[in-house]
């Protein structure tokens, strides 16, 4: 996976498409959209950056998109909303049915009844691991076993 100094290309498993440029995470914990990314990808990354270092709070981000702390699905909802892809917050179970099935080319949501995270341009936006890195942006992969895989149409 990409780091601040080693950007990499990403492909969707099982596809034969040209590799996409990958997002990176800087030393400040903020993600940088790759050149040539669709506007929704850049907007999602910008939205994620707004809350990347805010604290975790169970239920955070569900009463309203604007909150002082966010849980996993509140974080994913906020980022999707920032890209004009989601109109209302969803819990992790709701995200298991959102969008289209399978991995997306640029954005993929992983959700089950207890957790949700997303991958955008090869970079993971996830509350797990946040305590170690003080950011929701993670370059390290994680297991997606037990998760439903969804994506926004066209992305």
């Amino acid at each position: 996976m990409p780091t601040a100094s080693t950007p990499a290309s990403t492909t969707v498993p099982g596809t034969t498409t040209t590799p996409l440029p990958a997002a990176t995470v800087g030393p400040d914990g903020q993600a940088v959209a790759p050149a040539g990314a669709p506007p929704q990808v850049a907007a999602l990354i910008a939205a994620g950056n707004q809350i990347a270092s805010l604290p975790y709070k169970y239920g955070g981000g569900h009463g309203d998109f604007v909150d002082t702390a966010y849980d996993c699905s509140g974080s994913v909802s906020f980022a999707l909303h920032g890209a004009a892809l989601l109109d209302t917050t969803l819990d992790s179970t709701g995200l298991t049915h959102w969008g289209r099935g399978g991995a997306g080319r640029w954005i993929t949501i992983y959700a089950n009844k207890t957790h949700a995270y997303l991958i955008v341009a090869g970079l993971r936006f996830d509350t797990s691991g946040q305590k170690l890195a003080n950011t929701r942006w993670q370059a390290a992969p994680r297991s997606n076993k037990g998760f439903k895989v969804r994506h926004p149409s066209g992305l």
Side-chain angles (χ1 to χ4, degrees):
M1 284 299 228
T3 64
S5 60
T6 58
S9 295
T10 59
T11 58
V12 176
T15 66
T16 58
T17 60
T18 304
L20 300 173
T24 57
V25 62
D28 61 354
Q30 298 287 288
V32 178
Q40 298 98 324
V41 169
L44 186 148
I45 289 172
N49 282 340
Q50 291 177 30
I51 65 167
S53 62
L54 290 181
Y56 176 92
K57 177 177 78 173
Y58 181 77
H62 287 287
D64 191 342
F65 282 111
V66 179
D67 207 336
T68 57
Y70 293 81
D71 69 8
C72 59
S73 54
S75 298
V76 170
S77 291
F78 184 91
L80 290 169
H81 179 69
L85 297 170
L86 184 67
D87 294 328
T88 186
T89 60
L90 295 174
D91 64 14
S92 58
T93 301
L95 287 166
T96 67
H97 304 288
W98 180 84
R100 301 184 59 90
R105 186 148 193 242
W106 286 95
I107 301 169
T108 303
I109 294 92
Y110 296 88
N112 62 30
K113 66 180 183 177
T114 62
H115 189 61
Y117 67 97
L118 65 82
I119 304 287
V120 57
L123 197 59
R124 181 166 54 104
F125 188 66
D126 190 353
T127 56
S128 70
Q130 182 181 3
K131 288 182 184 178
L132 298 174
N134 196 33
T135 182
R136 286 170 170 79
W137 295 113
Q138 308 290 317
R142 66 165 287 160
S143 171
N144 61 10
K145 184 178 180 181
F147 286 85
K148 299 285 185 179
V149 181
R150 312 293 294 175
H151 69 277
S153 183
L155 294 170

